[in-house]
Amino acid sequence: MWQLYQFPLCPFSRKVRLLLGEKGVGYELVREHPWERRDEFLDMNPAGQTPVVVDTQRGGQPLIDSLAICEYFEETVDKAAMINGTAANRAEVRRLVAWFDNHFYRDVTGLLLHERVVKRVAHRAAPDAKGLRDAMKNAVGHLDYTDYLLDHRNWLAGATMSLADFAAAAQISVADYLGGIDWKGHEQTARWYRGLKSRPSFRPLLAERMEMVGPPPAHYDNVDF
Amino acid sequence: MWQLYQFPLCPFSRKVRLLLGEKGVGYELVREHPWERRDEFLDMNPAGQTPVVVDTQRGGQPLIDSLAICEYFEETVDKAAMINGTAANRAEVRRLVAWFDNHFYRDVTGLLLHERVVKRVAHRAAPDAKGLRDAMKNAVGHLDYTDYLLDHRNWLAGATMSLADFAAAAQISVADYLGGIDWKGHEQTARWYRGLKSRPSFRPLLAERMEMVGPPPAHYDNVDF
């Protein structure tokens, strides 16, 4: 049995979960709050970050780093190839995964998680209004970019759904939960996101709540928002 | 002909160059300083980062993101496979590439580049002594980890040389150029690094200088340091 160490608003774990869902790989969730820096978790992953995937039956080294985990399942499970197409297509998928994992996270999701989750839970401090405003402003620029891509393509990396879509939807869904996305004026991205939200792989994620932060906006888990 | 947009102390470009060198793929260097945020470069790569690889003959989309570039050449050039072995081995290679690209860069190389290159060149400001001290202290912790890995393995990710070694050597070499590495007490890592330094793929990198910062320490390009 695969175990996935994660917390409900970890965007990198969400990317892995969307991929595993599409591939039909079953797994058990283990709740981990990386900001607590639990000794047993750091022994498993010196980077101290979620997600980590462990095979409880066969043992072996844990799978660490969300992209390395996705590449592992892409190589070992044929169903639903998500880093697909020619070498150039695959490079474009990986470019966009890196874009959302690094830049969207740095500019939007990471800021929101810091202000609204880590500060509250680990430091019992109020969020900084400027940090929240910066994240929302940055999100507009990022959705302008996804609008631009979706003007030219059916899916973010090209003609077919790929890991790039999961990386983007994972980040956007966490930002949306935390009130960081203003959907007005982003019809292309909203249409694409509605399509992803209605997939069986996405529904369990949207149903989860992170009890230590407030509830998400009303539109958050509505497929027809 | 492949063109590689980079600057001599870009650790991510160095990782790509080591891989291309081992694979025997020829390329032309194009000097790019990402902190100048040149319009033509941003048009090519909205992330604004080096390296970018372009095929000047066949055209097509530029290759962007250092790991996506490495995966591309790994998939298209059989010689010298560097993400190798079983799926679990490959996951370990990718875990360590992410470790050095993200954590070593954040803790060491990125700090040194900010203090000693970007501040000087872009802001005409002096480096902050605390930033430099932090980077050097963090480097000790990181080399303790590579020592630990090399106590158990011939190469960082296992029995054979891999992209993990190039990712690590790329970061370490830039930190070493900028005076951030104290080699005392890190004999395992020093032995491994001497082996890499003597490879034909590494020699051209060690011979280059970045004229806008001071010269590297005397041991920097010495294979028997």
Side-chain angles (χ1 to χ4, degrees):
Chain A
M1 168 60 96
W2 295 107
Q3 280 188 332
L4 174 68
Y5 287 73
Q6 61 98 52
F7 62 100
L9 293 182
C10 170
F12 306 102
S13 304
R14 285 187 169 215
K15 177 182 63 185
V16 170
R17 293 179 68 185
L18 290 170
L19 182 71
L20 295 180
E22 292 291 334
K23 286 186 175 293
V25 175
Y27 56 90
E28 191 177 89
L29 293 175
V30 182
R31 184 70 169 260
E32 183 70 42
H33 295 156
W35 55 86
E36 294 173 0
R37 300 191 64 72
R38 202 166 57 85
D39 285 343
E40 293 82 353
F41 186 63
L42 290 172
D43 284 346
M44 191 157 62
N45 178 12
Q49 292 172 332
T50 49
V52 169
V53 170
V54 175
D55 184 341
T56 56
Q57 263 136 36
R58 286 184 299 173
Q61 284 197 322
L63 299 173
I64 288 166
D65 177 71
S66 67
L67 179 54
I69 295 170
C70 290
E71 297 271 4
Y72 177 88
F73 286 103
E74 189 70 4
E75 290 178 358
T76 54
V77 181
D78 285 340
K79 186 182 167 190
M82 289 292 156
I83 304 174
N84 37 23
T86 64
N89 293 146
R90 293 160 64 88
E92 178 66 357
V93 171
R94 292 190 179 106
R95 170 183 86 84
L96 286 167
V97 171
W99 173 267
F100 291 103
D101 283 0
N102 300 328
H103 293 268
F104 194 104
Y105 179 77
R106 180 197 63 193
D107 299 342
V108 183
T109 329
L111 276 179
L112 292 168
L113 281 170
H114 179 73
E115 294 298 338
R116 295 212 42 208
V117 181
V118 178
K119 264 192 179 176
R120 184 180 213 141
V121 177
H123 310 296
R124 299 187 183 287
D128 170 45
K130 185 179 176 306
L132 295 175
R133 268 201 315 274
D134 285 349
M136 292 194 70
K137 209 179 70 181
N138 295 340
V140 174
H142 273 283
L143 294 200
D144 286 346
Y145 185 53
T146 51
D147 280 348
Y148 162 81
L149 290 172
L150 293 164
D151 263 346
H152 298 82
R153 304 167 170 180
N154 287 336
W155 298 91
L156 287 176
T160 57
M161 189 170 65
S162 76
L163 189 62
D165 298 291
F166 301 159
Q171 297 288 338
I172 288 171
S173 67
V174 172
D176 198 30
Y177 189 113
L178 295 172
I181 304 284
D182 180 359
W183 285 102
K184 278 198 298 290
H186 294 291
E187 191 38 46
Q188 287 95 324
T189 303
R191 193 183 316 122
W192 159 88
Y193 189 53
R194 276 194 290 271
L196 284 168
K197 269 174 127 174
S198 63
R199 299 186 73 84
S201 62
F202 212 152
R203 303 312 307 257
L205 278 67
L206 293 173
E208 288 171 20
R209 294 294 175 266
M210 184 101 178
E211 61 290 343
M212 48 187 66
V213 292
H219 70 258
Y220 167 72
D221 54 3
N222 181 355
V223 173
D224 303 311
F225 70 108
Chain B
M1 168 62 95
W2 295 108
Q3 281 187 332
L4 174 68
Y5 288 72
Q6 60 100 52
F7 63 100
L9 293 182
C10 171
F12 306 102
S13 304
R14 285 187 169 215
K15 176 182 64 185
V16 170
R17 293 180 67 186
L18 290 170
L19 182 71
L20 294 180
E22 294 290 333
K23 287 187 174 293
V25 175
Y27 57 91
E28 190 177 270
L29 292 175
V30 182
R31 184 70 169 258
E32 184 70 44
H33 294 155
W35 54 86
E36 293 173 0
R37 300 190 63 73
R38 203 167 55 86
D39 285 343
E40 293 83 354
F41 186 64
L42 289 173
D43 284 347
M44 191 156 61
N45 177 12
Q49 292 172 332
T50 50
V52 170
V53 170
V54 176
D55 185 341
T56 56
Q57 261 136 36
R58 286 183 299 173
Q61 284 196 322
L63 299 173
I64 287 166
D65 179 69
S66 67
L67 179 53
I69 295 169
C70 291
E71 298 270 5
Y72 176 88
F73 286 103
E74 189 71 4
E75 290 179 357
T76 55
V77 181
D78 285 339
K79 186 183 167 192
M82 290 291 155
I83 305 174
N84 37 23
T86 64
N89 293 146
R90 293 159 65 88
E92 178 66 356
V93 171
R94 292 189 178 106
R95 171 183 84 85
L96 285 167
V97 170
W99 172 268
F100 291 102
D101 284 359
N102 300 329
H103 293 269
F104 194 104
Y105 180 76
R106 179 197 63 193
D107 298 343
V108 183
T109 329
L111 275 181
L112 291 168
L113 281 170
H114 180 72
E115 293 298 338
R116 295 213 41 208
V117 181
V118 178
K119 264 192 177 175
R120 183 180 213 142
V121 176
H123 311 296
R124 299 189 184 282
D128 170 44
K130 184 178 176 308
L132 295 176
R133 268 200 314 274
D134 285 350
M136 291 194 71
K137 209 180 71 183
N138 295 340
V140 173
H142 273 282
L143 294 201
D144 286 347
Y145 185 54
T146 52
D147 280 350
Y148 161 80
L149 291 171
L150 293 165
D151 263 347
H152 298 81
R153 305 167 170 180
N154 287 335
W155 298 91
L156 287 174
T160 58
M161 189 169 66
S162 77
L163 190 62
D165 298 291
F166 301 159
Q171 297 288 338
I172 289 172
S173 67
V174 172
D176 198 30
Y177 188 112
L178 296 171
I181 303 284
D182 180 359
W183 286 101
K184 278 197 298 290
H186 295 290
E187 190 40 46
Q188 286 94 326
T189 303
R191 193 184 314 122
W192 159 87
Y193 189 52
R194 276 194 290 271
L196 283 167
K197 270 175 127 173
S198 64
R199 299 186 74 83
S201 62
F202 212 152
R203 304 311 309 257
L205 279 67
L206 293 173
E208 287 172 20
R209 294 293 174 267
M210 186 100 179
E211 60 290 341
M212 48 186 66
V213 290
H219 71 258
Y220 167 71
D221 55 2
N222 181 354
V223 173
D224 302 312
F225 71 110

